[in-house]
């Protein structure tokens, strides 16, 4: 397909604010120098879009997109028809962070796709070629979106923990939303199925899904972290991941961390109250942040996705056509889902 065969206008969801999504028209964007035009096939919903959903935005959201190259700007090589996923951060590729491969810490990023530049809920999205990651021709594109927040962000958080704590024998994950389920799944894949992963949440649906994925559920409606651990035969854990962003969850994670334990904060949100001597110095614990993931992790994670596709795709629990994006968001924010995808 060449550029001239594409129509000039496209219907895009407009996040009007107040939890309302309408449809409006935008021109199909033109790929400039070094850019590709992607026809989006699937985009996963994300908890980080709550602000856009309730407050509204001019930008077309969507930062977990998968699609197919349908037009090339100058100085690009990716063949038309190549399927792939889009990395959130439009990294520069030349700053100190990027040169070392820490593209999630780019010092001169051009955009966060779907936040300050139009993203994947529109039918077409323009991206710089360096943030497009090609996948296998036969891979369903809804499942390819797992490479992004679910596998990428979670896998990176695990690697952050392993920097401090290579001998992980037990894990707790606070929050069984999509990132929490991702940490659970990536722990099973990267650490081995023999390493127990405890997962806390308040929502029955998510706890059941966590259990199906091999996690040990702790229902916070019934038990505290400490009681929940005890019921599964533990008194402490080596590594904790907070995906909830809640002060109480982070504090509860610290309270069950073993000596030399690591708390990795993956979910943005509230703060954390610390008593440095007791919480950090004496037990030699570490607290780390983990933000998205380096672009280079995509190729490693593609290998894991090929190998564990049936297992990982259980995290995707609902799919909606793009016309029903309003219902998709309402359902997703009800809590009774895993990952929700809109397709077009
Ligand atoms: Zn996301
Ligand atoms: Zn950079």
């Amino acid at each position: 397909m060449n550029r001239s065969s594409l129509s000039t206008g496209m219907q895009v969801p407009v996040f009007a604010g107040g939890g309302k999504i309408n449809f409006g028209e935008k021109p199909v964007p033109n790929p400039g120098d070094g850019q590709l035009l992607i026809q989006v096939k699937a985009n996963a919903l994300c908890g980080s879009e709550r602000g856009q959903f309730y407050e509204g935005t001019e930008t077309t959201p969507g930062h977990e997109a998968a699609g197919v190259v349908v037009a090339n700007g100058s100085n690009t090589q990716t063949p038309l028809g190549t399927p792939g996923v889009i990395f959130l951060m439009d990294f520069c590729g030349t700053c100190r962070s990027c040169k070392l491969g820490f593209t999630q810490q780019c010092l001169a990023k051009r955009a966060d796709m779907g936040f300050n530049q139009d993203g994947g809920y529109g039918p077409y999205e323009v991206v710089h070629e360096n943030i497009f990651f090609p996948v296998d021709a036969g891979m369903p594109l809804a499942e390819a979106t797992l490479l992004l927040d679910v596998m990428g962000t979670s896998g990176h958080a695990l690697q952050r923990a392993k920097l401090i704590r290579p001998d992980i024998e037990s894990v707790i994950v606070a929050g069984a939303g999509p990132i929490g389920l991702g940490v659970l799944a990536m722990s099973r894949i990267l650490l081995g199925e023999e390493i127990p992963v405890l997962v806390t949440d308040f929502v029955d649906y998510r706890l059941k899904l966590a259990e199906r994925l091999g996690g040990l559920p702790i229902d916070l409606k019934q038990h505290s972290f400490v009681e929940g651990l005890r019921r599964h035969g533990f008194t402490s854990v080596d590594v904790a991941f907070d995906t909830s962003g809640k002060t109480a969850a982070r504090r509860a994670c610290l309270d069950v961390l073993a000596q030399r334990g690591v708390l990795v904060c993956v979910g943005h949100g509230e703060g954390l109250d610390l008593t440095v001597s007791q919480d950090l110095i004496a037990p030699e614990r570490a607290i780390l942040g983990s933000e998205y993931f380096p672009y280079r992790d995509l190729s490693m994670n593609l290998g894991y996705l090929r190998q564990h596709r049936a297992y990982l795709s259980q995290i995707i629990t609902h799919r909606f056509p793009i016309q029903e994006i309003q219902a998709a968001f309402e359902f997703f924010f009800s809590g009774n889902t895993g990952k929700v995808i809109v397709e077009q």
Side-chain angles (χ1 to χ4, degrees):
M1 192 192 304
N2 64 35
R3 185 69 185 78
S4 59
S5 67
L6 299 171
S7 59
T8 52
M10 60 178 186
Q11 287 290 308
V12 299
V14 178
F15 284 52
K20 196 81 208 121
I21 304 175
N22 307 313
F23 277 83
E25 185 152 312
K26 280 190 180 177
V28 176
N30 261 314
D33 189 43
Q35 292 182 321
L36 305 171
L37 183 66
I38 309 299
Q39 183 173 23
V40 180
K41 299 293 188 184
N43 195 110
L45 275 62
C46 182
S48 66
E49 291 164 334
R50 203 171 277 274
Q52 293 174 309
F53 184 63
Y54 289 107
E55 283 148 43
T57 172
E58 304 264 295
T59 305
T60 303
H63 62 271
E64 299 188 40
V68 174
V69 178
V70 290
N72 291 82
S74 48
N75 300 308
T76 59
Q77 272 103 47
T78 312
L80 294 183
T82 305
V85 295
I86 296 166
F87 189 79
L88 162 73
M89 297 172 180
D90 189 3
F91 59 91
C92 75
T94 56
C95 72
R96 181 180 176 190
S97 290
C98 284
K99 274 192 201 148
L100 291 168
F102 302 121
T103 56
Q104 82 286 15
Q105 293 297 336
C106 174
L107 302 168
K109 68 180 168 183
R110 295 169 287 215
D112 283 324
M113 304 306 295
F115 287 98
N116 50 27
Q117 192 161 312
D118 286 347
Y121 292 129
Y124 296 98
E125 178 177 355
V126 153
V127 302
H128 281 107
E129 189 176 35
N130 66 324
I131 64 165
F132 183 73
F133 177 78
V135 300
D136 314 349
M139 179 164 291
L141 286 170
E143 292 174 15
T145 66
L146 289 167
L147 289 167
L148 300 167
D149 286 19
V150 171
M151 297 181 72
T153 303
S154 306
H156 180 55
L158 259 160
Q159 287 171 21
R160 298 274 295 150
K162 284 172 81 178
L163 288 174
I164 307 287
R165 188 65 195 254
D167 62 315
I168 299 171
E169 291 185 358
S170 54
V171 173
I172 191 163
V173 183
I179 297 289
L181 295 171
V183 174
L184 162 61
M186 292 303 278
S187 296
R188 307 274 293 166
I189 291 170
L190 297 174
L191 303 178
E193 292 187 0
E194 68 282 8
I195 304 300
V197 182
L198 299 128
V199 183
T200 72
D201 208 291
F202 293 93
V203 179
D204 292 333
Y205 183 95
R206 290 185 163 174
L207 288 166
K208 288 209 181 76
L209 186 49
E211 195 168 11
R212 211 177 314 143
L213 290 163
L216 302 172
I218 296 176
D219 183 350
L220 296 177
K221 292 193 302 306
Q222 296 184 38
H223 312 288
S224 67
F225 275 56
V226 173
E227 287 163 15
L229 247 69
R230 199 180 309 129
R231 289 174 68 90
H232 288 296
F234 297 87
T235 51
S236 64
V237 289
D238 291 343
V239 178
F241 295 90
D242 176 52
T243 71
S244 74
K246 301 287 184 202
T247 302
R250 289 173 181 166
R251 185 62 247 177
C253 282
L254 264 185
D255 289 340
V256 298
L257 261 193
Q259 274 145 316
R260 299 187 299 112
V262 183
L263 166 61
V264 184
C265 298
V266 200
H268 286 276
E270 302 171 359
L272 170 62
D273 301 318
L274 273 181
T275 308
V276 174
S277 288
Q278 282 168 33
D279 288 331
L280 297 185
I281 298 176
E284 293 191 330
R285 295 194 191 112
I287 302 175
L288 301 180
S290 187
E291 173 79 331
Y292 204 53
F293 60 96
Y295 177 87
R296 64 180 168 200
D297 286 4
L298 284 164
S299 52
M300 176 184 70
N301 287 337
L302 179 59
Y304 291 125
L305 181 56
R306 285 187 193 122
Q307 216 180 325
H308 303 281
R309 217 175 86 198
Y311 171 69
L312 285 160
S313 56
Q314 296 177 85
I315 295 174
I316 300 172
T317 55
H318 298 83
R319 299 168 189 231
F320 290 81
I322 187 68
Q323 294 77 14
E324 294 173 25
I325 186 171
Q326 175 79 47
F329 264 90
E330 287 172 7
F331 192 49
F332 179 54
F333 287 144
S334 79
N336 291 318
T337 72
K339 204 67 172 160
V340 176
I341 310 262
V342 290
E343 295 179 293
Q344 42 194 353

